[in-house]
Amino acid sequence: YAVLGGKCRSCGQSISIKYPALELLGGILYAYAFWQFGWSMELALTLVLTSLLFILTMSDLAYMLIPNKILLIFLPIALIVRYLSPLENWYNPIIGGIVGFVLLFVIFLASRRGMGAGDVKLFGLLGIFLGPLHVVIALFVSAFVGSVLGLTLLGLGRVKRKQPIPFVPSIAVGTLLTYYFADDWVSWYLDLLL
């Protein structure tokens, strides 16, 4: 990107800075995952989750769309790597998937389709990775990130009131923060209560 001056080699058209920026961020996240887990099935699980979130973030930013084909491709992969990774119990991924889907489906109905159906299916898939407790935490963190982002864009005049904005980037941030740090958050919260 730097060598070509941000332009396509063949046609000379400008390339958006968001593409190399997201690719750089992806490389940093993959390196962080390796630093956290080393060569392990947990690393494989983390890389699959990170890849899913990156693909869907790019799709949502470009087209405001979460393709069913992507979700269907990642569903068996998620189940395989989840069950090959360390688990507290065999039913956690299944219950997590159900909780993620049902929770978002209720919000989808209550919001009168203010949220996309793709988000509902995505949270069902994320529940397999995260489990029932963490998928709920991920929803709250994602909603918080989305609110801050939406208010910032509104304040900067980049979007108008009631204008839909992509939610997957917020889901990606909320999910990865939850994946890495939720256990610490829960421990901290329990220490406050006791």
Side-chain angles (χ1 to χ4, degrees), residues 9-162:
R9 184 194 309 267
S10 57
C11 70
Q13 201 152 17
S14 292
I15 301 169
S16 172
I17 187 68
K18 72 183 177 186
Y19 295 109
L22 282 170
E23 288 172 12
L24 177 62
L25 178 60
I28 291 168
L29 286 172
Y30 291 149
Y32 181 74
F34 180 75
W35 181 63
Q36 287 287 311
F37 305 114
W39 294 110
S40 64
M41 282 309 301
E42 189 72 26
L43 173 65
L45 180 73
T46 308
L47 295 182
V48 170
L49 175 60
T50 304
S51 299
L52 168 68
L53 292 170
F54 259 92
I55 291 167
L56 293 180
T57 294
M58 296 294 282
S59 174
D60 204 27
L61 287 172
Y63 309 111
M64 294 273 293
L65 183 68
I66 299 176
N68 286 328
K69 286 182 181 178
I70 301 296
L71 298 175
L72 288 172
I73 288 168
F74 272 89
L75 176 59
I77 298 170
L79 287 166
I80 290 166
V81 293
R82 179 71 272 182
Y83 278 104
L84 290 175
S85 304
L87 275 174
E88 289 178 23
N89 48 61
W90 67 268
Y91 50 81
N92 231 31
I94 304 299
I95 294 176
I98 293 168
V99 168
F101 182 86
V102 169
L103 196 58
L104 264 288
F105 186 67
V106 168
I107 294 170
F108 173 74
L109 293 177
S111 68
R112 295 179 184 169
R113 302 192 179 186
M115 174 180 286
D119 298 323
V120 177
K121 291 175 267 189
L122 173 57
F123 258 89
L125 185 54
L126 294 177
I128 294 170
F129 288 99
L130 300 174
L133 173 61
H134 287 184
V135 78
V136 174
I137 295 172
L139 173 60
F140 282 105
V141 177
S142 300
F144 175 75
V145 171
S147 298
V148 170
L149 180 63
L151 289 171
T152 302
L153 291 173
L154 193 63
L156 294 172
R158 298 294 297 273
V159 297
K160 297 176 182 176
R161 282 185 178 276
K162 298 190 177 179

Side-chain angles (χ1 to χ4, degrees), residues 1-7 14-15:
Y1 181 84
V3 169
L4 294 173
K7 297 190 176 183
S14 292
I15 301 169

